[in-house]
Amino acid sequence: MTDQNQTTPPVVRADSYLTLHYRIVLESGPGKGSTFMDTFDGRPATLQLGMGQWSPGMEQPLIGRPEGDCFSYELEPSAAYGDRNPELIQRVSRAMLIEHAGEDASFDPGDMVEFTAPNGGRYSGVLKEIDQDSALFDFNHPLAGVTLRVDIDLLGVL
């Protein structure tokens, strides 16, 4: 005999709106074993699939999963944030840095600095080194070139 009131939980589609807890752990690179992001000890996150909040490779393992599912998956760099691109490590003149940040701005290696492109777009880079004439920035995504483990607790699917 089956229970007439029992319904199957909704499953994740490519355009679903999710409420979830997630943890992103670095599985390779200098930070191996460290946690990049973790919502399990706080408020759950929301995620609208297909809107660019996560890379398509990070979203794909969620498709078809039922609400209430807890699971983990590993992503190679090519499926997450791509491989590191040496061409995205660029030297910027001190004058350009002052133009974008202001005369009295101070920077230390490791700082994330945002720039405005000529087309009006915004992009960020991590300061690697700075001297009197220029600054060296890494414009790769911080997770580029890193294998990731993603832990998911799928709380709600709309």
Side-chain angles (χ1 to χ4, degrees):
M1 193 150 136
T2 61
D3 184 348
Q4 298 290 341
N5 295 328
Q6 189 174 8
T7 59
T8 58
V11 297
V12 178
R13 297 179 325 271
D15 63 348
S16 290
Y17 182 81
L18 309 178
T19 301
L20 71 164
H21 278 298
Y22 70 94
R23 178 183 306 113
I24 299 174
V25 178
L26 310 184
E27 292 291 308
S28 69
K32 183 177 180 176
S34 64
T35 300
F36 180 76
M37 180 69 180
D38 188 349
T39 69
F40 280 90
D41 56 359
R43 296 182 57 181
T46 57
L47 175 64
Q48 173 70 58
L49 295 188
M51 299 302 285
Q53 292 174 279
W54 281 12
S55 71
M58 285 184 69
E59 291 182 356
Q60 189 57 46
L62 303 174
I63 306 296
R65 296 285 188 156
E67 181 176 273
D69 205 2
C70 292
F71 58 99
S72 296
Y73 56 93
E74 194 168 285
L75 292 171
E76 293 300 316
S78 60
Y81 291 96
D83 293 316
R84 294 192 58 73
N85 181 347
E87 292 178 16
L88 292 178
I89 298 174
Q90 297 182 0
R91 195 157 287 283
V92 173
S93 73
R94 193 68 184 243
M96 180 187 232
L97 192 56
I98 290 169
E99 177 187 326
H100 286 276
E103 188 75 47
D104 14 335
S106 65
F107 301 99
D108 295 310
D111 286 352
M112 179 79 74
V113 179
E114 192 170 88
F115 293 87
T116 302
N119 66 4
R122 313 261 318 148
Y123 58 100
S124 299
V126 175
L127 178 63
K128 294 307 209 180
E129 61 185 50
I130 191 166
D131 61 31
Q132 290 300 105
D133 302 317
S134 65
L136 185 65
F137 282 92
D138 184 349
F139 292 105
N140 283 286
H141 187 283
L143 296 178
V146 177
T147 299
L148 305 176
R149 185 189 80 230
V150 183
D151 303 323
I152 301 287
D153 183 358
L154 201 48
L155 303 172
V157 177
L158 293 175

